[in-house]
Amino acid sequence: MTSWIAISRKDHLHKRWQPSKGFEFVADQQIVPILLAEIARIAPHHVTGFVQAEDGSYQYIALVGVGGDRNLYVSNDHLWLGDYIPASLRAYPFAVLNDTEGNKVFCVDQSHLTDDESFPRLFQDDGTLEKTPADTVNFITQCEDNRQQTLKACAALDEAGLIDPWMIEIPRGEDQPPLTINGVHRVNESKLNELDAQQLIALRNVGALPLAYAQLFSTAQMDQLIKRANFHSNADPKKAPAELDGLFGEGDGGTLNFDSL
């Protein structure tokens, strides 16, 4: 479990931080939150959908697992097996979280704090953040702004009655019943096609229309998700990382351009 600690000049002026070596922190994650700004990069690689929060609101997500404790996009040695890394995974080991009073606080995974001088510092001597932590704060802030836009787009789809429950069945061979995934929702394409021009324009104006089509297009990646599940279940753990590199290709890590938002 990640243990977040608030970063302060008082306590951490001379502390150093250890960069993440891979994606072990999401190795058992089954879904990943997705931003409106990255839907064009996500749809060719992931099945996407919506999950419902306790307050009834919907969050846009990518499926990275089919149950159990295996993220199908993380190799045995914790490399990301895909051409694009979702934005929500790129700030680790940093995060901006709410404190007990609801204030935004810059945090670090406590396990990545160190006094080892071979690692970079959090702060400069004058108390300002070093470049990488400062850039990360900026990146997280932009992601949070876009997350709010994404939530508004999801809410618009919900208000238009376009989000329906989606029972996903993953085939497991002739002698086994399919694996059922519940709790994921999708866009109802038939209802979307019945909307009039005014309703479509309203959805377009809040980013909900491209989000709806991105979700529909992404369902074509279900075969890839199934192939990943089968590959991981059959592969020799000692050979899987190298084999997967060849199977899924090498990516640039992905970038987000917020200038167009």
Side-chain angles (χ1 to χ4, degrees):
M1 295 293 291
T2 303
S3 178
W4 297 108
I5 183 170
I7 297 172
S8 71
R9 294 178 181 86
K10 177 183 177 182
D11 297 329
H12 306 117
L13 181 61
H14 300 293
K15 279 285 188 179
R16 297 171 181 269
W17 64 281
Q18 183 176 355
S20 175
K21 294 181 179 179
F23 293 87
E24 183 178 8
F25 65 101
V26 290
D28 60 353
Q29 201 161 304
Q30 301 296 292
I31 60 174
V32 173
I34 299 301
L35 301 176
L36 193 59
E38 59 184 341
I39 57 175
R41 299 296 304 274
I42 288 292
H45 305 289
H46 294 270
V47 178
T48 66
F50 307 90
V51 294
Q52 198 164 21
E54 292 182 1
D55 63 2
S57 64
Y58 286 96
Q59 181 181 37
Y60 191 53
I61 58 90
L63 290 173
V64 293
V66 293
D69 57 0
R70 181 66 190 252
N71 183 333
L72 301 176
Y73 287 77
V74 176
S75 71
N76 295 319
D77 54 355
H78 306 130
L79 300 175
W80 186 260
L81 301 172
D83 290 334
Y84 178 79
I85 301 170
S88 62
L89 306 183
R90 281 188 255 148
Y92 187 84
F94 298 111
V96 173
L97 305 173
N98 291 329
D99 64 12
T100 55
E101 298 178 354
N103 300 312
K104 298 291 184 183
V105 179
F106 187 43
C107 300
V108 63
D109 183 341
Q110 190 169 13
S111 67
H112 284 257
L113 279 178
T114 180
D115 293 315
D116 187 335
E117 295 186 357
S118 66
F119 291 107
R121 288 179 58 174
L122 286 167
F123 291 98
Q124 300 178 34
D125 289 336
D126 63 1
T128 58
L129 285 170
E130 288 283 0
K131 185 179 187 314
T132 297
D135 288 346
T136 303
V137 171
N138 183 53
F139 177 73
I140 294 173
T141 300
Q142 293 182 78
C143 286
E144 176 59 22
D145 290 343
N146 197 256
R147 188 181 74 87
Q148 294 302 321
Q149 295 182 39
T150 308
L151 290 174
K152 290 179 182 178
C154 292
L157 293 175
D158 183 30
E159 291 168 6
L162 297 177
I163 299 181
D164 284 347
W166 184 15
M167 187 181 72
I168 300 172
E169 292 189 341
I170 305 295
R172 293 192 292 177
E174 296 181 358
D175 299 328
Q176 300 184 66
L179 175 67
T180 301
I181 301 176
N182 295 307
V184 183
H185 296 69
R186 64 179 171 181
V187 170
N188 186 314
E189 186 174 7
S190 296
K191 291 181 181 178
L192 178 63
N193 291 335
E194 293 172 357
L195 297 181
D196 60 33
Q198 186 174 357
Q199 291 172 308
L200 290 172
I201 291 172
L203 291 176
R204 182 201 65 187
N205 289 343
V206 294
L209 191 57
L211 181 62
Y213 283 114
Q215 193 281 310
L216 290 170
F217 294 153
S218 77
T219 60
Q221 306 309 321
M222 187 64 72
D223 284 346
Q224 181 187 150
L225 191 67
I226 295 171
K227 287 178 181 177
R228 285 176 179 269
N230 290 335
F231 185 92
H232 280 289
S233 65
N234 296 325
D236 181 344
K238 295 181 180 178
K239 297 180 181 178
E243 292 175 353
L244 284 169
D245 285 343
L247 182 61
F248 300 118
E250 296 180 358
D252 58 6
T255 58
L256 280 182
N257 180 9
F258 288 97
D259 294 336
S260 61
L261 300 180

